Amino acid sequence: MADNLSRTSPPLFALPDHALVVLEGPDAVAFAHAQFANDVVSLAPGHWQWNAWLTPKGRVIAVFALARRTDETLWLVLPDFPADLFAEALRRFVFRRKLKIEVPAGIAVNATFAAPARASGAALDATDDALEFNLGGDGGPRTWHIGAAAAEDPALQAAWQVADLRHGLPRLPASQREQWTPQQLALDRLSAYSVKKGCYPGQEIVARTHFLGKAKRSLQCFSAMGTVTDGTPVREGERDVGEVACVASDVAGSVLLAVMPLEHAGTDLMADDHLLARQPLLDGLRR
């Protein structure tokens, strides 16, 4: 009788706050390598990495996943950044390079709190109708499934964002773009930038901070029994000691990432008049 029972698995749901941008052409990899903070040239086809686009002053414009589909095709999965705006901004730097930057129609970013069928670590799994990314970490299995749009589920979407923040993946709203360096956002935890590759916008600032040991602030994760907004100061008594970079709504209130002094213990803190409880950052999202 047990063999006749239907087996259920976590549902696939849409992530409408995620978008896809495609770079394609003979110069796509060289262009991305020169523009973005991570080493794209050494990324093997069929694999992906975390990456970031910085201003010349070393401030993070966007954090995203970069997948090398083929020798001449890159897929960028962008949380929280409209694809059309990102593609338009990127096209300004193409000049005479041979590539196209497009926002494909009819392809959506979906997710499930289940392990991928075959994707593992940084290795992609491409099927006839979808591309899978393994987003699992210490918080449990998770998968991006990029293909035809699934149904939306606001509760699961919110849970996904909470899981991102718990793993230290910044989900930057518009107000927090171009505010923080990669070190302040702890992007080293994701291996999302390189200090050894050639020049890219902001590289000098990133390398100087890394090699001279001048990073003084980084991310800490907190929960709060109430609504906290991004950009809010984190206060210790009467003084500001940090700032909220991004927030996700949780069933109990808010989960947030704040940029804090490296040496701060993260105790006795308030934001938006709510007491903050420090939460450990989960590992396993590095690719």
Side-chain angles (χ1 to χ4, degrees):
M1 181 175 180
D3 292 338
N4 294 328
L5 294 176
S6 62
R7 296 182 178 181
T8 61
S9 59
L12 191 69
F13 56 94
L15 291 176
D17 49 6
H18 287 54
L20 180 66
V21 173
V22 175
L23 280 60
E24 187 168 17
D27 293 336
V29 170
F31 174 78
H33 188 78
Q35 283 295 320
F36 302 144
N38 212 345
D39 187 344
V40 181
V41 169
S42 65
L43 183 66
H47 292 74
W48 70 279
Q49 62 182 199
W50 294 111
N51 212 319
W53 195 21
L54 313 182
T55 69
K57 294 184 178 180
R59 299 304 196 241
V60 175
I61 300 170
V63 180
F64 52 89
L66 184 149
R68 188 168 181 177
R69 298 295 312 278
T70 69
D71 287 337
E72 297 187 358
T73 304
L74 302 174
W75 280 20
L76 277 56
V77 183
L78 303 165
D80 310 305
F81 205 119
D84 290 335
L85 293 180
F86 189 92
E88 180 182 359
L90 202 56
R91 290 187 190 108
R92 298 171 188 162
F93 301 96
V94 170
F95 302 120
R96 297 182 180 179
R97 290 187 182 270
K98 297 178 181 179
L99 77 151
K100 297 183 296 183
I101 301 174
E102 298 180 334
V103 179
I107 303 179
V109 182
N110 309 299
T112 178
F113 285 98
R118 287 175 295 274
S120 177
L124 302 162
D125 175 49
T127 63
D128 292 336
D129 60 351
L131 183 69
E132 286 191 334
F133 293 62
N134 178 12
L135 268 288
D138 288 354
R142 299 193 302 157
T143 302
W144 273 341
H145 188 281
I146 301 179
E152 294 190 21
D153 188 317
L156 288 174
Q157 181 186 340
W160 188 271
Q161 188 169 0
V162 168
D164 279 346
L165 268 57
R166 287 299 314 277
H167 285 89
L169 174 61
R171 296 287 305 273
L172 299 178
S175 65
Q176 294 298 300
R177 296 171 195 157
E178 304 185 24
Q179 301 297 312
W180 309 106
T181 67
Q183 286 94 342
Q184 289 170 341
L185 293 180
L187 295 188
D188 52 295
R189 298 183 73 256
L190 304 176
S191 292
Y193 66 92
S194 172
V195 295
K196 297 180 180 179
K197 59 174 271 189
C199 293
Y200 56 88
Q203 182 267 344
E204 183 178 354
I205 305 298
V206 173
R208 183 187 306 142
T209 302
H210 174 80
F211 289 113
L212 297 182
K214 291 186 176 181
K216 298 181 179 179
R217 293 186 289 172
S218 189
L219 285 185
Q220 291 190 26
C221 184
F222 299 94
S223 60
M225 298 292 290
T227 301
V228 178
T229 55
D230 57 86
T232 298
V234 176
R235 299 184 61 82
E236 181 181 46
E238 297 300 318
R239 67 188 185 109
D240 295 348
V241 293
E243 184 175 331
V244 177
C246 49
V247 183
S249 297
D250 193 13
V251 290
S254 300
V255 172
L256 57 100
L257 294 178
V259 178
M260 298 287 297
L262 290 174
E263 71 279 3
H264 202 287
T267 57
D268 300 322
L269 299 173
M270 304 283 289
D272 278 338
D273 296 324
H274 298 295
L275 181 65
L276 302 183
R278 186 174 180 180
Q279 304 294 333
L281 285 171
L282 300 175
D283 291 323
L285 204 57
R286 179 191 297 265
R287 295 291 182 268

